[in-house]
Amino acid sequence: MGEPSGGPVADAGSHRIPSWGGSRETVHYLALFASVNSAGEGDRVDLHSRGYLRLLLVTALLGVPLSLIAFGFLVAVHQLEHVVWQTVPHALGFAEPPAWWPILTIGIAGALVALAVTHLPGRGGHAPVEGLGAGAMPPIELPGVLLAAAASLVGGAVVGPEAPLIALGSGLALLAVRGSRTARNGTTATIIAAAGSAAAISAIFGNPLVAAVIFLEVLGLGRRQLMLVVLPCLLSSGVGALLFTGMGRWTGLEIGALTIGELEPSRLQAIDVVLAIPLAAVVALATWCAQVAGRRTARLAASHPLPVTVVAGGIAGVSACVYAVITGHSPMEVALSGQATLPTLATDPGAWTTGALVALLLCKGVAYAVCLGTFRGGPVFPAVFLGAALGVLAEIIVPGMTPLSALAVGLAAGAATTGLPVTSVIMVVLLLGDAAAGQMPVVILGVVTAMVALEFLPSTQHTDWRTDSHAEVPT
């Protein structure tokens, strides 16, 4: 995966789908929206037209099946994680997964991902180091994307579920309207794709508002164009969240959303504000180091996917094993995305000694870096966890810093890896719950500092899809 290759394109009516490396005909999701600003007269959708009202109805209706499919995917992944990390070790006589367990599971996952990359259409989606967006893709590529993502998540690769869900929602949404009049209009196809993604990720961040705000920020449109896309996304994500919540309560099944338990509110101290800047800068630097390593690994994996992905899985597994051996903690704290460990880290940081926290950061950081360039999933969940861990460590080693403020700054700086400031602030505020009211200044300061720090570091050559003048809409 990488820059648009300028290779073959597939016809889609008056629009064309650019090729994104090799024979793959997948458009990066954020690039879909560049055409909304430049839509021709025949493609324009008016807020006051009956067609737009019908479009809202379509997105609301699509939100139902797409949310159910996304719910089923997340439940399947969650249940398989339980089997791999609990049921099988127990059956083998271990009360907890042994220290060497991640070497086996992530290594096998690496082989499965590499096979999906080399043998299935679409190369299993994009590497997490490329960002959140996988794209509105041809339906033939969806099986490879889901297989690679499921293998990565279940096996314990340090990636999150957000990117494959975005790809799943947008791809299935375009499949649902294929051949219809809606699909032949480039602007409405773009809106349908965005709404499908919003429905699919409506609950994984813990609140449907985050899904809508993500699209609000990435579009970079004028007010009227913004409303054209954001209203369907907001509606679809609301429908999706309702179904996620209802299905969870009705079935008793879990999907593993990014959430934190109740936190005790606290007042900001002057030292919290002063230390927020260096702490956020350290989180940004750590993230940048992981991105650099991830991009170098991705370049190696592009030419030798099977050996590089398996070796990367082995490195991640050994990192988890080393952590378990030297700390006595579960290797699951290094393996997997971190969403299951984050609530304990936030509410009971005393469960880790200073040495154990340092080991957690180093081992998970190494595993995250190699997984970024080889496995398939999202980059956000592990980055948020690592930011939180750095915040907890800062509170321990820096006298006077308020624990909640240190956690808030770490979360904020980690979330800023999305490159979307408003999304990052809202995500952290929702994670903190009632305790967020007194921490808003340091949350905002943490996000801004991290993003500014990343701008001053040497580029990791991450494509800014919003400025890609060649982006066109798939239908």
Side-chain angles (χ1 to χ4, degrees), residues 258-266 333 338-352 357 360 384-393 395-396 402-412 428 430-433 435 439:
L258 187 66
T259 58
I260 292 178
E262 291 295 325
L263 295 170
E264 194 68 30
S266 65
E333 293 174 5
Q339 67 188 42
T341 309
L342 181 60
T344 305
L345 181 68
T347 57
D348 186 23
W352 286 266
L357 270 176
L360 175 63
V384 169
F385 177 86
L386 288 169
L390 275 168
V392 171
L393 180 62
E395 183 272 324
I396 293 174
T402 306
L404 180 61
S405 298
L407 174 68
V409 174
L411 287 169
V428 174
L430 292 172
L431 281 173
L432 295 177
Q439 302 300 319

Side-chain angles (χ1 to χ4, degrees), residues 4-104:
S5 66
V9 293
D11 254 325
S14 60
H15 302 276
R16 296 169 71 77
I17 305 176
S19 175
W20 297 84
S23 61
R24 185 165 187 230
E25 295 174 350
T26 300
V27 180
H28 190 288
Y29 191 70
L30 303 186
L32 293 175
F33 307 112
S35 64
V36 177
N37 274 326
S38 57
E41 289 299 324
D43 282 345
R44 293 192 183 279
V45 180
D46 190 88
L47 282 169
H48 304 290
S49 67
R50 291 184 179 179
Y52 186 66
L53 294 178
R54 287 196 296 270
L55 181 61
L56 287 175
L57 178 60
V58 168
T59 56
L61 293 176
L62 278 177
V64 176
L66 293 181
S67 300
L68 291 175
I69 293 172
F71 180 85
F73 174 73
L74 291 172
V75 166
V77 166
H78 189 79
Q79 294 298 318
L80 287 173
E81 283 181 357
H82 181 84
V83 170
V84 169
W85 292 91
Q86 296 184 36
T87 304
V88 175
H90 289 174
L92 295 176
F94 299 104
E96 296 287 340
W100 51 264
W101 192 251
I103 301 176
L104 175 66

